[in-house]
Amino acid sequence: MFAKTLIMKLMFRMMGLPTCEEVDQFAYDFLAGRLDAKIIHQVERHLKTCKNCQKFMVSYRKTYALAQNLPPPTLDSEFKEKMFKFLSKKGDA
Ligand SMILES: [Zn+2]
């Protein structure tokens, strides 16, 4: 298993492509479109040859999409009211 990973690593290096670890690190920025066009191209080429990273990227993309659809965190109004009362009481004392 280890030897296989090492061979893959060398192979990607020789092809001038990022290794699996690097694809892993680039994943977020890759999906956010924040990478250099050149690196995006390299990551895409890696994905074409690497089943592991393909699977990883599919599940990562789902997580990423979910995170994008979440509403921004807000304080609920009841909490705000309690906090306001608490703070104003504190001011009286
Ligand atoms: Zn890979």
Side-chain angles (χ1 to χ4, degrees):
M1 189 64 184
F2 176 72
K4 201 188 165 195
T5 322
L6 199 67
I7 290 166
M8 292 276 284
K9 204 169 180 173
L10 280 171
M11 194 185 84
F12 285 123
R13 273 276 167 270
M14 280 167 69
M15 290 165 78
L17 297 178
T19 59
C20 294
E21 287 98 334
E22 284 163 346
V23 168
D24 196 285
Q25 282 167 22
F26 288 149
Y28 185 84
D29 289 332
F30 177 73
L31 293 177
R34 273 192 246 149
L35 289 175
D36 231 58
K38 194 181 153 197
I39 298 174
I40 289 175
H41 184 68
Q42 288 173 346
V43 171
E44 277 169 353
R45 278 183 65 198
H46 178 115
L47 290 173
K48 270 182 197 155
T49 52
C50 184
K51 284 234 158 57
N52 283 338
C53 288
Q54 271 172 32
K55 277 188 213 158
F56 165 75
M57 205 51 101
V58 167
S59 59
Y60 198 91
R61 186 170 279 151
K62 279 182 196 158
T63 317
Y64 179 84
L66 276 178
Q68 294 302 299
N69 290 328
L70 284 177
T74 49
L75 293 175
D76 72 275
S77 54
E78 199 189 342
F79 176 81
K80 260 191 236 169
E81 205 175 310
K82 275 182 191 165
M83 198 60 176
F84 183 73
K85 276 181 189 164
F86 174 77
L87 288 173
S88 52
K89 261 183 207 164
K90 218 179 170 185
D92 291 341

